[in-house]
C-alpha cells in the first residue's frame, strides 16, 4: 500500500528525480571548485569525492522519500482507529508502509542512475567484499533511517502537524549523516557529534565502505554500530508508542 501510494502521482514522483540530477551536477561543480586543481585533499582524491557525492545523493533519495511516514495524516484523519483494529501491531503496519514508500523510489532511481553517473561520477569497488559490505550496510542503514522516521512521525499524536519538525529534522539529518559533506572533512567537534548520533549509520557508513574509506575490521565495527542503533531505536519507538497511544480518543463507539 505504501508503494502504491508513493507512485500514485506520477508527475510529482518523477520530478523529484529530475532534481536529483541537478543536485549531483551542482555538488560536482562545488567539489571541483573546492579542490581547485589539487590532486587530493586530506588524502582523498577529487574522483573519490565526486563518486562519494554522487552515490550519497542517489542513496539519500532512496532512503528519504516524501512523505516519510503515513502516521501524521492518519492521525489527523482519525484512521488510526482502523489501524488499531487490525491483527498486526500499529508500529509494524506503519514501518511496513514506510518501507514500501521508500522502495517505490527504486524504479525511478534505476532510470535516473545512468544519467546520474554521467552527470557526476562513479568509482568501481575494489573487491567483491566491498559490494557485500556496502549491501549489508545499506540495508541496515535503511532500517535505522526508517526507525528514526517512525519515532519522528509518532510526534503527530501530540502536535497533529509535523511538517515544521520534519523540515528541521531533514536539514540536521542530511548534514550529520554525511549526505552533503563526508565525515572525514568535518571539523573535530562536529565530527565527534556526528559519530555519536545515529545519522551517520544511514548515509556515510554504506558509502564509505563502498569507496574503501572503511576497510578490514573497521567494517565489522561499523556494521556493529548500525545493529546497535537498530536495537536502541526499536526500543525507543516502542517507548514513544506506549506514551502516544494514551492520547488516542475515539468517539461514537
Amino acid at each position: 500500500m505504501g508503494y502504491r501510494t508513493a507512485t500514485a502521482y506520477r508527475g510529482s514522483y518523477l520530478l523529484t528525480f529530475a532534481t536529483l540530477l541537478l543536485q549531483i551536477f551542482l555538488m560536482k561543480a562545488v567539489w571541483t571548485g573546492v579542490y581547485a586543481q589539487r590532486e587530493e585533499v586530506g588524502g582523498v582524491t577529487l574522483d573519490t569525492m565526486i563518486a562519494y557525492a554522487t552515490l550519497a545523493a542517489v542513496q539519500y533519495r532512496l532512503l528519504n522519500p516524501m512523505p516519510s511516514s503515513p502516521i501524521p495524516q492518519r492521525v489527523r484523519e482519525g484512521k488510526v482507529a482502523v489501524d488499531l483494529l487490525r491483527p498486526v501491531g500499529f508500529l509494524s503496519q506503519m514501518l511496513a508502509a514506510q518501507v514500501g514508500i521508500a522502495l517505490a523510489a527504486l524504479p525511478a532511481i534505476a532510470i535516473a542512475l545512468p544519467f546520474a553517473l554521467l552527470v557526476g561520477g562513479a568509482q568501481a569497488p575494489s573487491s567483491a567484499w566491498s559490494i557485500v559490505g556496502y549491501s549489508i550496510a545499506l540495508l541496515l542503514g535503511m532500517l535505522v533511517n526508517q526507525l528514526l522516521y517512525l519515532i519522528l512521525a509518532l510526534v503527530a499524536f501530540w502536535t497533529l502537524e509535523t511538517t515544521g519538525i520534519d523540515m528541521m529534522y531533514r536539514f540536521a539529518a542530511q548534514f550529520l549523516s554525511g549526505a552533503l559533506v563526508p565525515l572525514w572533512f568535518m571539523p573535530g567537534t562536529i565530527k565527534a557529534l556526528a559519530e555519536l548520533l545515529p545519522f551517520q549509520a544511514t548515509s556515510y557508513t554504506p558509502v564509505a565502505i563502498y569507496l574503501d574509506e572503511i576497510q578490514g575490521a573497521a567494517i565489522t565495527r561499523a556494521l556493529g554500530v548500525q545493529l546497535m542503533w537498530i536495537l536502541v531505536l526499536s526500543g525507543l519507538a516502542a517507548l514513544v508508542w506506549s506514551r502516544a497511544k494514551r492520547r488516542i480518543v475515539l468517539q461514537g463507539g
Side-chain angles (χ1 to χ4, degrees), residues 2-238:
Y3 185 99
R4 294 179 63 184
T5 300
T7 56
Y9 300 96
R10 293 178 179 83
S12 175
Y13 173 75
L14 295 175
L15 186 60
T16 60
F17 294 94
T19 63
L20 170 62
L21 301 181
L22 177 60
Q23 178 183 349
I24 292 173
F25 173 78
L26 293 175
M27 292 292 286
K28 180 180 180 180
V30 168
W31 284 112
T32 300
V34 169
Y35 272 70
Q37 299 182 344
R38 287 174 288 184
E39 292 185 3
E40 62 179 45
V41 174
V44 180
T45 65
L46 176 59
D47 289 341
T48 298
M49 187 59 243
I50 292 176
Y52 179 98
T54 301
L55 184 56
V58 172
Q59 189 176 280
Y60 185 81
R61 289 294 176 183
L62 171 63
L63 299 182
N64 298 272
M66 287 288 288
S68 56
S69 175
I71 292 178
Q73 182 177 356
R74 300 191 72 80
V75 169
R76 288 193 299 271
E77 296 176 356
K79 293 179 179 178
V80 290
V82 178
D83 299 330
L84 293 173
L85 292 175
R86 295 192 174 110
V88 179
F90 178 77
L91 292 186
S92 298
Q93 293 178 54
M94 297 300 107
L95 188 60
Q98 289 180 190
V99 172
I101 293 171
L103 293 180
L106 285 176
I109 285 180
I111 296 172
L113 186 58
F115 300 98
L117 297 177
L118 181 64
V119 172
Q123 183 171 309
S126 62
S127 67
W129 287 112
S130 295
I131 299 177
V132 172
Y134 171 74
S135 300
I136 297 173
L138 182 61
L139 177 60
L140 295 178
M142 184 174 186
L143 289 174
V144 171
N145 208 50
Q146 293 305 320
L147 286 168
L148 286 167
Y149 275 125
L150 183 66
I151 295 169
L152 181 68
L154 288 173
V155 176
F157 283 94
W158 285 270
T159 65
L160 296 183
E161 177 57 54
T162 61
T163 302
I165 298 172
D166 187 66
M167 290 177 64
M168 290 188 293
Y169 169 83
R170 284 176 180 270
F171 173 78
Q174 189 172 15
F175 179 75
L176 293 172
S177 68
L180 292 176
V181 180
L183 266 61
W184 63 67
F185 280 152
M186 290 184 179
T189 303
I190 298 178
K191 181 180 179 181
L193 176 63
E195 289 175 343
L196 286 173
L197 297 174
F199 306 115
Q200 48 88 21
T202 67
S203 184
Y204 171 78
T205 298
V207 181
I209 290 175
Y210 180 89
L211 296 175
D212 286 334
E213 294 298 326
I214 298 178
Q215 302 181 36
I219 294 179
T220 303
R221 288 195 296 271
L223 297 178
V225 170
Q226 288 182 305
L227 287 171
M228 180 270 293
W229 278 117
I230 289 173
L231 293 175
V232 170
L233 293 172
S234 296
L236 183 57

